[in-house]
Each structure stands twice: as C-alpha cells, then as structure tokens.
Amino acid sequence: MPLFNLMTETSVPKTLYILAISLIAGLCTGGIVPLVIDATEDMVSGNHYLTHATRLLLVVALLIMTKRVSQQRTVALAGDIHERLILRISNRIRHAQLREVEEWSHSDILLKIVSAQLITQAAIKTVDVFHNIVAMLICWLYIFQLSAQVGVIFLLAFLFAVSGYELFQ
C-alpha cells in the first residue's frame, strides 16, 4: 500500500489512468480464453467463422495497445517517482550542515539511492501483477461458470500456492 500511496502522491490522474488501462488489459487477457473456447466450439459446428476471427483480432489488438500504453505510462510515472525520491535525498544533503554531512556514512546515502531505484522498479512490476491478477480472476470466473466445483478447487489450489509461496519467501 505504501507504493500505491507514493504513486498517488506523485500524480493521482496518472495513477488512475494506469490502473484503468491495466484493468482493460487484464480483462482482454482473461477474455481471450473464453473467446477461443467459444470460437472453437462454433467453428467445429461450422458457424460464425468471420465473427469469431474478427472478435479475437479486436481483443488481441486492444490487449497489445493497452498493455503497451500501460507499460509506457508506468515507466514515465516511475521515472517521476525516482526523480522525486532522489530530489528528497539531495535536498536533505543540501540543507544539512557540513558537520552533519560529514557524520553521515556514504554507504547510507548510496543505500537510499539504490532503494529509490528499487521502489521505481517495484512500481512497474506492481502494475504487471495487477494486470495478471485481473486476467486470473476472469479465467477463474469463466471456469466457475462452467463448473462451480472445479472453480472452487482451482480457487483453493491458488490460495494454497500463494500461501506456500508467502510462507517460504
């Protein structure tokens, strides 16, 4: 949550735009699975070739565009966050007395700069994770719609895998 607060602190409209575009990209990614299954089912019976091909191409084109725009905007916002964090560090050094600066260790200053870089990289990865979570949610809803029992089994398996990952990390 602090990363999201840092992103909104930098620019609320940019953050909301990135989240909206990532949501659309996640919906497109998750929507490809039901589209392909339904298209296969209809094409086997000999119906609606052009409709499914057009729909699938539009979804894939929308996915590519939204994913690319989301990545570009996230990188730009991460650059703004990085610049802001580096300016905070440099302003602190600039406004400090010479005696205080001499007492600081250079490794602490470098560590703060490296942590600023890690924060910006985490912002980029967080948007990708959000996109993938939305896609997984759409796929799980589709599976749950086909069979509630299998949907619950997949949900429990996913929760078990996430719990195991968090436990051993």
Side-chain angles (χ1 to χ4, degrees):
M1 204 57 172
L3 182 61
F4 182 73
N5 291 338
L6 187 62
M7 290 173 70
T8 55
E9 181 183 307
T10 303
S11 176
V12 174
K14 288 180 181 178
T15 303
L16 293 177
Y17 183 77
I18 289 169
L19 289 177
I21 292 295
S22 294
L23 180 67
I24 294 170
L27 290 172
C28 289
T29 302
I32 287 176
V33 173
L35 279 176
V36 168
I37 292 172
D38 291 340
T40 305
E41 185 179 319
D42 281 347
M43 287 181 186
V44 167
S45 65
N47 297 328
H48 311 290
Y49 287 107
L50 189 57
T51 305
H52 290 294
T54 305
R55 193 180 309 162
L56 192 60
L57 285 175
L58 289 175
V59 169
V60 169
L62 184 63
L63 169 65
I64 291 169
M65 289 185 335
T66 54
K67 182 83 169 157
R68 183 69 181 147
V69 168
S70 173
Q71 287 175 344
Q72 287 176 337
R73 297 290 174 103
T74 304
V75 168
L77 183 61
D80 293 345
I81 292 170
H82 186 258
E83 179 181 349
R84 191 174 198 172
L85 292 173
I86 296 298
L87 284 176
R88 283 184 192 170
I89 296 168
S90 64
N91 283 339
R92 184 171 174 221
I93 293 170
R94 189 178 61 188
H95 291 295
Q97 298 293 328
L98 180 59
R99 187 177 320 118
E100 291 176 39
V101 173
E102 289 175 347
E103 290 174 2
W104 293 339
S105 68
H106 294 290
S107 61
D108 287 340
I109 295 170
L110 292 175
L111 184 64
K112 289 181 181 181
I113 292 172
V114 169
S115 67
Q117 292 172 342
L118 291 175
I119 288 170
T120 56
Q121 291 172 356
I124 295 169
K125 290 183 181 186
T126 301
V127 172
D128 286 339
V129 167
F130 176 69
H131 164 260
N132 292 331
I133 287 173
V134 170
M136 286 181 58
L137 179 66
I138 297 298
C139 289
W140 178 77
L141 287 173
Y142 182 71
I143 290 170
F144 193 80
Q145 180 231 350
L146 293 176
S147 171
Q149 294 166 339
V150 174
V152 170
I153 290 170
F154 273 117
L155 180 63
L156 292 175
F158 175 73
L159 292 176
F160 181 72
V162 169
S163 299
Y165 176 76
E166 289 296 324
L167 182 66
F168 294 113
Q169 189 177 27

